[in-house]
Amino acid sequence: MEHFAQQAYQIFRQGVAAVQPQQFMRSCLPMEFVQEATRIFVLGAGKAATAMAREAESLLGGKIMQGLIVTNDPAAAPLSRIQTVIAGHPVPDENSLIAGTAMLEMAGAMQPGDLVLFLLSGGASSLLADVPDGVTMEELQQLFNALLKSGADIREMNTVRKHLSAIKGGQLARRLHPARIYTIILSDVPGNDPAVIGSGPTVADPSTFTEAWAVLEKYRLIDTLPAGIRHHLEQGLTGAVAETPKPGSIPHAQYCIAASNSIALAAAKEKAEQLGYHTTILTNTATGEARELAQRLARQALAYNGPFPACLLAGGESTVQVSGTGKGGRNQELALAAGMTIKDARHITFLAAGTDGIDGPTDAAGAVINAHLLQGAPDPLPFLHNNDAYHFFEKTGSLLKTGHTHTNVMDMVVILLQQPPEFP
């Protein structure tokens, strides 16, 4: 990989390292609750669930009576006292359903004096699933696939998910009563709203059936809803299906936001400064359609007039409205769109990658681009139109493949600026 691309990657990796579970689990464990508990159960879901559970086992050992976590890492090593289920992401599968059923069964056996440590990270919405009466898993998969391609943001998608579940949106917490629940959360959403992260199975939910219906109307999905899903939502609208637990209704459940994108950005800033860059964090809540966000960030880089060399950092999560038949993810699309804007700016390197190591349905975390890497590359425009950024970056050799990182705090953008050639 080209020199400046390598430096951008080093900066990104430092950010990922700062939000590994071993960096935050000890400080977040509620030791007072642990000491008071008659029995301790460890449950959890998400891309970081295995690493978080391993830390819990290391810290609590034999105090853990039983546990169950669900994750998407097929290479996850077995845990000592906690069962692991490998399930589907970003669309739930049969293992997601098996995990959801097993967790609900465990919830039914809780007693006064029990403590449930719930380990929550991004991806839980898909990994831990259940199916409403009269609905099939295939129908849920079709709807969630459509939402993923619609351009809906994570808050909108999870509003729908919570109202097609008996687990999400605080409903698992209701089932876990009378146990005390303490949720340790690794945030993968802008603003760190615990009700949105992983669809908040143990956190009160302010959203409603009305809002879920409005999301489906906004993205023109109402007319294609399977009959069972439509019936369930209509029953919710009339009150025949109970709403999710609202704030104040589950006082036995507490939580801690253990790590977030801002921590990753701070560590990335420190690394960039070690490498000699004057560094600015632009935002940790970058959202919007990937191509539009790419334009905004690329224009900020082109307009930069501070000291060189410089590093601009951003965090957040974009969306993609898929209309083509290609392969890619939001970060690859973001990098490709930005590359088209900076293609003549030889002093700029642009990296976009997911901190979980997975970008869309691919084996890449994202991509890095600059004028050097674009030399000899094919015309990027057809690839962008076909949502085919993966195959473009495959040709430039600048896909970033990290494998599962065991964490997940949204995405990071690293923009490096060298002294422009027109400056003396």
Side-chain angles (χ1 to χ4, degrees), residues 34-366:
V34 168
Q35 291 162 5
E36 293 173 353
T38 305
R39 302 186 301 174
I40 298 175
F41 297 84
V42 176
L43 306 179
K47 297 176 184 178
T50 303
M52 293 173 77
R54 186 169 292 111
E55 287 299 307
E57 285 193 339
S58 174
L59 294 165
L60 298 177
K63 294 179 181 178
I64 299 172
M65 181 172 181
Q66 190 180 1
L68 172 66
I69 57 113
V70 54
T71 189
N72 65 325
D73 184 357
L79 298 161
S80 300
R81 307 184 71 86
I82 302 169
Q83 180 187 354
T84 301
V85 176
I86 309 300
H89 184 274
V91 176
D93 62 9
E94 289 302 322
N95 279 354
S96 306
L97 189 58
I98 289 169
T101 301
M103 210 165 283
L104 288 172
E105 288 177 356
M106 290 180 68
M110 294 296 140
Q111 302 171 7
D114 289 345
L115 171 65
V116 174
L117 291 176
F118 197 88
L119 311 177
L120 183 64
S121 55
S125 297
S126 166
L127 294 165
L128 184 63
D130 62 315
V131 179
D133 290 340
V135 178
T136 68
M137 174 58 80
E138 291 74 19
E139 289 171 338
L140 277 186
Q141 290 171 331
Q142 290 169 12
L143 174 58
F144 295 153
N145 255 324
L147 275 169
L148 285 166
K149 293 179 179 180
S150 71
D153 64 29
I154 190 65
R155 182 180 296 274
E156 292 171 321
M157 283 195 290
N158 286 358
T159 295
V160 175
R161 285 164 161 162
K162 284 184 281 191
H163 290 87
L164 289 168
S165 172
I167 293 175
K168 299 172 172 60
Q171 295 178 91
L172 181 61
R174 189 158 57 189
R175 299 287 192 97
L176 286 165
H177 188 268
R180 171 180 269 173
I181 307 159
Y182 193 84
T183 303
I184 299 176
I185 302 175
L186 186 59
S187 173
D188 73 326
V189 303
N192 305 328
D193 185 345
V196 178
I197 301 162
S199 294
T202 55
V203 178
D205 174 37
S207 74
T208 63
F209 274 101
T210 300
E211 290 170 342
W213 188 267
V215 170
L216 296 172
E217 283 187 324
K218 176 181 177 181
Y219 294 100
R220 301 178 181 178
L221 296 174
I222 293 291
D223 291 342
T224 59
L225 284 178
I229 292 179
R230 187 185 188 100
H231 177 72
H232 178 84
L233 293 173
E234 288 174 340
Q235 290 287 94
L237 291 171
T238 63
V241 173
E243 261 293 355
T244 51
K246 300 309 170 200
S249 66
I250 46 175
H252 60 293
Q254 296 169 265
Y255 67 87
C256 164
I257 301 289
S260 64
N261 189 263
S262 60
I263 293 173
L265 288 174
K269 181 176 187 289
E270 183 179 351
K271 179 64 175 180
E273 289 171 345
Q274 289 173 0
L275 292 171
Y277 287 92
H278 301 275
T279 305
T280 302
I281 297 175
L282 300 175
T283 179
N284 63 3
T285 57
T287 57
E289 201 282 325
R291 299 180 196 187
E292 296 173 3
L293 179 60
Q295 293 296 312
R296 295 200 302 271
L297 292 172
R299 284 196 292 267
Q300 283 183 276
L302 289 167
Y304 176 80
N305 62 358
F308 292 96
C311 174
L312 305 179
L313 297 171
E317 185 171 291
S318 63
T319 59
V320 175
Q321 188 167 357
V322 179
S323 56
T325 59
K327 180 179 179 180
R330 61 181 181 260
N331 287 292
Q332 294 161 63
E333 183 136 330
L334 181 67
L336 183 57
M340 294 177 64
T341 301
I342 64 168
K343 65 182 188 302
D344 297 321
R346 303 185 64 84
H347 65 296
I348 300 177
T349 296
F350 191 105
L351 175 151
T355 57
D356 58 357
I358 303 165
D359 189 34
T362 75
D363 60 351

Side-chain angles (χ1 to χ4, degrees), residues 1-2 4-6 8-9 335 349-352 366-370 373 393 396-400 414:
M1 193 183 294
E2 184 266 349
F4 295 119
Q6 284 184 341
Y9 185 55
T349 296
F350 191 105
L351 175 151
V368 60
I369 194 69
N370 59 24
L373 292 167
F393 286 115
T396 64
S398 54
L399 285 169
L400 304 178
V414 180

